[in-house]
């Protein structure tokens, strides 16, 4: 049966015996890997986009090596899934960051591969991580569309530094309207629902998915906190 149903139905899927009793490490590592682009990839890709892009291959090869060395563990699988998210981030923020409409399509480049992996059971931990990251990204982008913040995204990327604070104030004013606050509350609830349902299972794949989705709240919180600090 197609494995995307596990986070809706709470159906336990097969997982390696050493991790069945301890899914928390998988959850923690997923949260850690989602936060890495904020603190490491963002400054790297802005100054050295080709270096960031080249790191994709290194991450993927490291995942393959771990998979061969520890075939019964999920570490290598997870790292390979993370490499697809890293690739998308390098491509978008390195060359197309001024066009917000391309953000989600570029982030979804590996979606067919992830869906195929989940369907066949190949690399399900890594593909679950990638899918969870993509779900979090889609919901975050959805907030920008619903609150009409897309124009501010484009302008902020291209604006000179002295105009950034003006654009941010206008964007925050839209966020603080009843519509903006209502959209935020709805999407946060949606993230919590999608992220918490997989925790009913005892599989590293489902917990990795959950960690990737729920850590989106942390990343978004850091972003908006930094915006308010600038203001």
């Amino acid at each position: 049966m197609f494995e995307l149903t596990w986070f809706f139905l709470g159906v336990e899927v097969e997982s390696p015996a050493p991790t069945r009793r301890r899914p928390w490490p998988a959850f923690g590592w997923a949260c850690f890997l989602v936060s890495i682009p904020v603190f490491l990839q963002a400054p790297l890709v802005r100054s050295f986009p080709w270096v960031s892009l080249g790191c994709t291959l290194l991450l993927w090869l490291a995942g393959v090596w771990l998979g061969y060395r520890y075939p019964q563990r999920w570490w290598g699988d997870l790292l390979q899934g993370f490499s697809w998210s890293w690739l998308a981030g390098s491509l978008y923020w390195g060359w197309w960051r001024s066009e917000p409409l391309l953000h989600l399509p570029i982030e979804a480049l590996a979606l067919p591969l992830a869906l195929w992996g989940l369907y066949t059971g190949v690399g399900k931990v890594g593909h679950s991580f990638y899918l969870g990251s993509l779900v979090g990204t889609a919901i975050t982008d959805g907030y920008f569309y619903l609150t009409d913040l897309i124009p501010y995204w484009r302008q902020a990327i291209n604006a000179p530094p002295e105009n950034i604070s003006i654009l941010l104030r206008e964007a925050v004013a839209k966020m603080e309207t009843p519509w903006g606050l209502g959209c935020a509350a709805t999407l946060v609830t949606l993230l919590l629902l999608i992220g918490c349902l997989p925790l009913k299972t005892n599989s590293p794949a489902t917990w990795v998915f959950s960690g990737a989705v729920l850590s989106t709240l942390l990343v978004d919180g850091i972003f908006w906190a930094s915006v308010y600090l600038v203001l």
Side-chain angles (χ1 to χ4, degrees):
M1 184 176 182
F2 190 58
E3 290 195 43
L4 286 177
T5 55
W6 35 246
F7 62 86
F8 290 115
L9 303 178
V11 176
E12 184 173 345
V13 294
E14 184 180 356
S15 60
T19 54
R20 285 182 66 85
R21 295 185 296 274
R22 299 187 60 191
W24 281 107
F27 180 90
W29 277 108
C31 293
F32 173 72
L33 290 176
V34 168
S35 65
I36 281 182
V38 178
F39 302 104
L40 179 60
Q41 188 180 29
L44 177 64
V45 75
R46 190 169 186 87
S47 301
F48 307 102
W50 285 105
V51 173
S52 180
L53 187 62
C55 287
T56 302
L57 180 60
L58 296 178
L59 290 167
W60 187 81
L61 290 174
V64 171
W65 180 81
L66 285 172
Y68 277 114
R69 188 171 180 84
Y70 306 102
Q72 300 304 317
R73 304 292 181 174
W74 42 261
W75 310 320
D77 193 353
L78 177 60
L79 196 56
Q80 289 179 67
F82 173 68
S83 71
W84 298 122
S85 295
W86 183 280
L87 171 64
S90 297
L91 291 173
Y92 178 76
W93 295 106
W95 287 275
W96 289 289
R97 60 178 175 267
S98 61
E99 183 43 71
L101 298 180
L102 293 178
H103 183 226
L104 194 56
I106 291 177
E107 290 287 345
L109 283 176
L111 181 59
L113 177 64
L115 294 177
W116 173 84
L118 290 175
Y119 180 77
T120 59
V122 176
K124 59 185 178 183
V125 171
H127 291 139
S128 294
F129 171 83
Y130 171 79
L131 186 61
S133 299
L134 184 60
V135 168
T137 298
I139 292 176
T140 300
D141 280 19
Y143 179 77
F144 279 80
Y145 283 101
L146 289 171
T147 53
D148 196 27
L149 292 176
I150 293 295
Y152 296 99
W153 180 336
R154 185 181 292 109
Q155 293 174 46
I157 292 295
N158 297 315
E162 59 271 17
N163 292 345
I164 294 295
S165 60
I166 298 174
L167 292 171
L168 290 179
R169 288 192 188 95
E170 294 177 356
V172 168
K174 277 186 170 287
M175 293 167 52
E176 292 178 342
T177 62
W179 173 255
L181 294 173
C183 288
T186 300
L187 295 181
V188 167
T189 302
L190 182 60
L191 278 171
L192 289 172
L193 181 64
I194 295 175
C196 289
L197 281 176
L199 300 180
K200 295 179 179 180
T201 73
N202 201 26
S203 163
T206 57
W207 280 62
V208 159
F209 175 89
S210 180
V213 172
L214 293 177
S215 56
T216 302
L217 294 171
L218 174 63
V219 172
D220 289 349
I222 292 173
F223 172 76
W224 290 115
S226 65
V227 168
Y228 277 95
L229 287 175
V230 169
L231 297 178

